[in-house]
Amino acid sequence: MMIMNRLKFFLPLLALLFVSPANAQFSQAGSDYEYMFKGEVGYMPFVSNLGHEGENGYYINDLRHIVNVNVINGVNIKQNFFVGLGLGYGYVTKPDDFSTGWHSALAFVDFDYRPLDVEWSPMVGARAGAHYMMADSPYGNTLTPYFEISTGLNWFFRHEYRNMERNYLSIFLELAFAYTQQTTFIPIRLGFRF
């Protein structure tokens, strides 16, 4: 009977010893990943056409530029690396006549890397996906691959630690080189990470 009473006393203590390190380890691992959203507005000046003209010319003719908005849902890994899925809307138009344009949609996988854990950090990134031009272009609806590489500057405007966790809020400016719809562009974007 005496042994049973001692076991009843030590078994809960033993269980607590195993549970405590598990909780500490879980919270430590949990701080490495954080779900994030990125919102962006951008302007993509035309650079050149590539490939072969069809009977209606290139898919994007007449030096048309793209004004766009993107939303990306993803994960920050250990503060510095982001991967996410994005959707975008674009308006393809001539710089001197915004009243005539074509609508487009973009779906992509987004990667970016910020190598420094400081208030102002450089960043590099890449995107790959599909660009869909809607109806009004000379070719009607066209779906083509979308590829991009980028560089930029990321500003953590609240650069402090709270409860041993990183504050990930930031504003960023990106300059990129993109190819889609038989055309190369130089995207310029301003974004907010939250």
Side-chain angles (χ1 to χ4, degrees), residues 28-187:
Q28 190 176 21
S31 65
D32 288 346
Y33 304 94
E34 184 167 341
Y35 288 98
M36 299 294 293
F37 289 94
K38 286 173 29 177
E40 305 172 334
V41 292
Y43 182 65
M44 297 172 57
F46 171 93
V47 176
S48 66
N49 289 121
L50 297 176
H52 301 287
E53 291 183 86
E55 63 182 67
N56 294 322
Y58 290 101
Y59 290 166
I60 294 181
N61 288 324
D62 305 322
L63 309 178
R64 291 182 183 265
H65 300 208
I66 301 176
V67 178
N68 61 350
V69 176
N70 299 322
V71 177
I72 303 132
N73 180 18
V75 177
N76 255 354
I77 303 170
K78 293 188 182 241
Q79 173 67 33
N80 299 328
F81 184 70
F82 176 86
V83 59
L85 297 175
L87 293 174
Y89 165 79
Y91 187 66
V92 183
T93 185
K94 294 182 181 178
D96 58 350
D97 183 11
F98 275 83
S99 62
T100 60
W102 313 324
H103 302 280
S104 69
L106 179 63
F108 56 92
V109 177
D110 178 53
F111 303 92
D112 73 44
Y113 177 67
R114 295 166 310 281
L116 301 175
D117 188 17
V118 293
E119 184 176 4
W120 293 90
S121 176
M123 58 189 281
V124 293
R127 291 182 178 177
H131 186 259
Y132 182 67
M133 187 82 72
M134 297 179 213
D136 293 336
S137 75
Y139 282 92
N141 298 327
T142 58
L143 178 67
T144 65
Y146 181 90
F147 301 104
E148 175 186 307
I149 56 171
S150 64
T151 186
L153 186 62
N154 192 80
W155 174 41
F156 293 103
F157 58 90
R158 293 180 62 196
H159 184 261
E160 72 255 8
Y161 290 87
R162 293 192 178 190
N163 299 326
M164 301 298 289
E165 290 186 10
R166 181 76 177 154
N167 189 325
Y168 290 89
L169 295 175
S170 67
I171 295 173
F172 57 90
L173 181 65
E174 279 184 316
L175 182 64
F177 181 79
Y179 173 77
T180 188
Q181 301 286 346
Q182 299 177 318
T183 309
T184 57
F185 297 94
I186 301 286

